[in-house]
Amino acid sequence: EAGVTQSPRYAVLQEGQAVSFWCDPISGHDTLYWYQQPRDQGPQLLVYFRDEAVIDNSQLPSDRFSAVRPKGTNSTLKIQSAKQGDTATYLCASSPRLGAQDTQYFGPGTRLLVL
Amino acid sequence: GQQVQQSPASLVLQEGENAELQCNFSSTATQLQWFYQSPGGSLVSLLSNPSGTKHTGRLTSTTVTKERRSSLHISSSQTTDSGTYLCAIGRNSNNRIFFGDGTQLVVKP
């Protein structure tokens, strides 16, 4: 069974540029999460979905960040106008069923550096 | 505020020594997991242990729910154990989990 895949693995931007991250969860998992992990900190949840519906996006900086999962499978996280403070690793995870307290399975992450 | 506190922040061992990692949390937890994050960044679940004691291989986790703490014991450490160990709690059925900042473990040969 293939794991969670993410692309790109690395991105380097100038401030003000836009970037998109892509995630393909494990097949059949209905719940998908995006986390931001600054250096030397634990992952912090940005947004999560059940199928195509957003369950909680309260931690997403909505003026510059957006996330979609249009068909309930793959997902895209976009930063419109990146800032140096966005430098972090962006992790995607999936779990089989919302509400079942299943383990989350993580992808390898995208490491973003904003200059 | 920080919901999950881990200690120590970093730990250096010689191969063969044992490691004891601590996790304290500020609210009740119905879910507690220990994760390992390799130096390259990939994060994997090691144990799910919301209460009691659980063993897998060289790992033993003990969670005392009433005292809001959990520990992870690694016996006979190996150089390949080097990396970051993260504790995460969940509070209800919505699958949302909260991570601590981790313990960075270095095992020297």
Side-chain angles (χ1 to χ4, degrees), chain A residues 32-78:
Chain A
L32 184 147
Y33 310 80
W34 284 102
Y35 290 87
Q36 181 190 62
Q37 186 177 21
R39 187 179 174 84
D40 295 330
Q41 294 184 32
Q44 298 157 17
L45 184 69
L46 291 173
V47 59
Y48 69 111
F49 298 84
R50 180 182 184 178
D51 298 322
E52 68 278 5
V54 173
I55 302 300
D56 184 349
N57 63 358
S58 59
Q59 304 305 309
L60 198 65
S62 59
D63 58 334
R64 296 185 301 109
F65 285 63
S66 62
V68 294
R69 193 186 183 199
K71 296 181 180 178
T73 51
N74 301 337
S75 178
T76 303
L77 176 70
K78 184 173 184 178

Side-chain angles (χ1 to χ4, degrees), chain B residues 31-108:
Chain B
Q31 203 181 0
L32 187 137
Q33 291 187 61
W34 285 94
F35 289 84
Y36 168 76
Q37 189 167 34
S38 64
S42 185
L43 207 153
V44 295
S45 178
L46 295 171
L47 284 169
S48 178
N49 186 29
S51 66
T53 299
K54 204 167 199 176
H55 304 275
T56 180
R58 294 181 293 108
L59 304 178
T60 301
S61 172
T62 299
T63 299
V64 184
T65 312
K66 282 195 306 185
E67 297 179 12
R68 299 181 181 172
R69 60 178 175 87
S70 181
S71 64
L72 181 69
H73 182 88
I74 305 173
S75 62
S76 304
S77 63
Q78 301 173 1
T79 56
T80 51
D81 294 333
S82 296
T84 301
Y85 291 79
L86 293 153
C87 174
I89 64 164
R91 290 204 299 266
N92 51 39
S93 62
N94 68 5
N95 282 48
R96 181 169 179 176
I97 58 176
F98 299 86
F99 285 86
D101 287 338
T103 293
Q104 293 189 14
L105 175 65
V106 174
V107 182
K108 294 185 174 181

Side-chain angles (χ1 to χ4, degrees), chain A residues 84-101:
Chain A
Q84 288 187 354
D86 298 333
T87 293
T89 297
Y90 291 82
L91 297 166
C92 178
S94 69
S95 64
R97 300 160 298 164
L98 182 67
Q101 298 193 6

